[in-house]
Amino acid sequence: MGRLLSVLAALALLVPQSPTAAASAMPEAPNCPIYPTSNVWHSNIQNMPVHPMSATWIANMGGASRLLHPDFGGPYGYQLQVVSNATPTTRLAFDYAGESDDVPYPFTASTPIEPASDAHAFMLNKDTCVLYELFAASWNGGRPTAGSGAVFDLKSHALRPSGWTSADAAGLPIWPGVLRYDEVLSGVVDHAIRFTAQRTDRSFVWPARHQAGAARDASLPPMGARFRLRSDFDMSPYSAQTRVVLTAMQRYGLILADNGSNFFFQGSVDSRWSDQLISELKRIPAGAFDAVDASSLMVDPNSGLARGASGIALESGWHSRWLSQSDYLVMSPGQVANFWIRFTNTGTETWNRGIWGRQANLGLNADDKSPYRLGMAANWSWDDRIATTTVPAVAPGEVAEFRFAVRAPMTRGTYRLNLRPVIDGTVWMEDQGVFWLIVVP
């Protein structure tokens, strides 16, 4: 009974999550995922092994007592301009033309340019879901220039050519690793967070494509290195919004993307960032992190597609493995809240939405209709099928996300949803004992 009470007390601290679109999509561009859920930016690294150079790298990045520094707040940070097909485009003259994408950019006199020395500019076309990023950008009176430019299709897993820079030293896109207020407010940050180190090795690891190292020295971290907040870090003294960020640092970690001050990480320009959140994030020591070896996630060195964090080999036929899910909630009677869950397709068959016998549905285990009878369905597919995949196709090794809403029963109690993926007309997939608890106090 004591354990149950402690669980309920923890649940009482949680708040319902706001609805969000596909992976990290922004309210201003809801149809554009910030990369598919199966991309390495969204890989859960909680179970990745600690890298053997972890302690050495951290020692050479200011040491264990070095504190994290949120390099944003109020008017400070990175600012994205959302554009459309109607936005005028122009070509730029690049200093590093050999490693820049020479295409028209939706860069205009009104495009925000970072006031700091790097002078970054970011533009996302909400119609095509193409991200444009510039380094050392200048409108230059209508004859625009930049140090470098990179273009990323956020619906694909494509990486830049090996050895190419981007607007970042690691050759990675910047915006997918920027912490945004809208996602913190939603209660879910589902991607790695970009950060910097003063001195790096003259090497890079997947998914990075470029290095700008101080020396050829294995005691320095390479571009692309991933760091994870340790699971034993005590989050209880921190505010709810800070815990959202810390949870992301445990699940998805930090990714080394550029040279700069040690353990500075980037966020969006937004007046809503609270002083409490910023000050609490400044209390986190580097010693609370481990570098991890995430190499097992790689499917192809030239693709951002990642294996499921479970690392389980594909099995012939239809199979799935639970990856992650949103938190249990305390809900008021009749309240509707949004949930998500992710499964890796560990079979050899592709899940195809809209094709009977190939569409993966999130089912109530054993066709349990009791939650439906309690009035818990909120736009479910039908009485014992809660949702289907958010993307049209989930290939072997990719991650499927299911999003759905639940209405709390009118009667007090603790309600359990037992969930299991199913290919209707073909087969139920593995029963892994996945469930949600919903408490109506």
Side-chain angles (χ1 to χ4, degrees):
M1 176 61 72
R3 182 181 178 188
L4 176 60
L5 290 175
S6 64
V7 170
L8 295 179
L11 288 172
L13 297 174
L14 300 173
V15 295
Q17 298 169 8
S18 301
T20 57
S24 294
M26 300 171 54
E28 302 92 329
N31 296 321
C32 293
I34 309 297
Y35 283 121
T37 56
S38 52
N39 191 272
V40 63
W41 281 98
H42 302 289
S43 290
N44 188 319
I45 61 170
Q46 286 179 291
N47 296 320
M48 296 287 101
V50 175
H51 197 285
M53 295 298 291
S54 176
T56 300
W57 288 348
I58 290 175
N60 286 320
M61 296 164 68
S65 61
R66 173 77 181 188
L67 299 177
L68 266 62
H69 184 87
D71 196 16
F72 59 93
Y76 305 105
Y78 287 156
Q79 188 169 356
L80 177 76
Q81 183 181 44
V82 176
V83 300
S84 70
N85 285 339
T87 303
T89 60
T90 186
R91 290 185 179 270
L92 294 92
F94 294 110
D95 295 335
Y96 299 97
E99 296 179 18
S100 294
D101 293 319
D102 186 17
V103 300
Y105 287 69
F107 181 58
T108 68
S110 65
T111 300
I113 298 176
E114 179 193 12
S117 59
D118 285 348
H120 288 114
F122 309 98
M123 299 137 281
L124 173 62
N125 186 323
K126 65 181 180 181
D127 296 327
T128 63
C129 299
V130 173
L131 174 68
Y132 301 82
E133 298 190 343
L134 298 171
F135 163 72
S138 172
W139 180 241
N140 195 31
R143 297 182 299 278
T145 63
S148 59
V151 178
F152 303 91
D153 180 355
L154 295 182
K155 290 186 175 180
S156 82
H157 296 291
L159 300 178
R160 296 181 66 66
S162 182
W164 278 35
T165 189
S166 59
D168 228 350
L172 293 168
I174 294 175
W175 191 255
V178 171
L179 191 66
R180 307 192 319 266
Y181 184 80
D182 64 89
E183 57 186 351
V184 174
L185 182 64
S186 78
V188 179
V189 175
D190 68 349
H191 59 83
I193 299 169
R194 171 193 186 273
F195 85 112
T196 61
Q198 186 173 4
R199 300 178 71 243
T200 55
D201 184 34
R202 289 180 183 167
S203 66
F204 57 89
V205 295
W206 178 85
R209 311 300 280 166
H210 184 263
Q211 59 83 22
R216 195 169 297 280
D217 183 352
S219 70
L220 299 175
M223 289 294 175
R226 201 99 166 230
F227 292 76
R228 173 188 63 210
L229 184 64
R230 288 204 299 265
S231 60
D232 60 357
F233 184 81
D234 182 10
M235 298 187 194
S236 61
Y238 297 90
S239 64
Q241 285 196 347
T242 301
R243 293 200 302 271
V244 170
V245 179
L246 297 179
T247 298
M249 290 178 174
Q250 283 187 338
R251 291 177 177 172
Y252 310 103
L254 306 175
I255 188 165
L256 181 54
D258 202 3
N259 293 122
S261 298
N262 289 320
F263 284 99
F264 275 46
F265 64 100
Q266 285 66 46
S268 62
V269 172
D270 200 305
S271 61
R272 296 173 293 177
W273 290 116
S274 71
D275 291 339
Q276 180 182 19
L277 171 71
I278 300 299
S279 63
E280 287 183 342
L281 290 173
K282 289 180 179 178
R283 290 162 42 191
I284 314 301
F289 286 79
D290 290 317
V292 300
D293 180 359
S295 59
S296 63
L297 295 172
M298 186 177 70
V299 175
D300 181 329
N302 297 310
S303 171
L305 174 66
R307 300 184 193 279
S310 60
I312 294 174
L314 299 180
E315 302 176 69
S316 179
W318 304 92
H319 298 277
S320 69
R321 186 57 55 101
W322 176 89
L323 181 59
S324 59
Q325 68 188 67
S326 54
D327 295 308
Y328 301 159
L329 291 185
V330 172
M331 299 172 64
S332 302
Q335 177 188 347
V336 175
N338 293 279
F339 298 81
W340 58 264
I341 190 168
R342 293 175 186 152
F343 288 87
T344 303
N345 179 358
T346 55
T348 55
E349 299 287 341
T350 297
W351 305 349
N352 297 109
R353 191 176 67 196
I355 301 177
W356 180 257
R358 301 195 67 87
Q359 173 172 301
N361 294 316
L362 183 63
L364 290 167
N365 204 354
D367 296 326
D368 179 12
K369 293 178 173 51
S370 59
Y372 177 81
R373 297 190 187 105
L374 288 168
M376 299 178 73
N379 296 319
W380 292 1
S381 299
W382 60 90
D383 55 4
D384 52 19
R385 296 293 183 268
I386 293 180
T388 186
T389 57
T390 59
V391 296
V394 181
E398 293 187 342
V399 175
E401 183 170 89
F402 301 85
R403 287 188 175 269
F404 58 96
V406 173
R407 180 178 292 103
M410 300 304 295
T411 305
R412 293 179 180 178
T414 299
Y415 299 89
R416 177 169 170 148
L417 297 178
N418 296 298
L419 302 171
R420 183 176 174 187
V422 56
I423 307 293
D424 281 296
T426 303
V427 67
W428 281 92
M429 287 185 273
E430 287 82 356
D431 181 0
Q432 298 164 62
V434 177
F435 64 92
W436 254 286
L437 285 180
I438 294 171
V439 178
V440 181

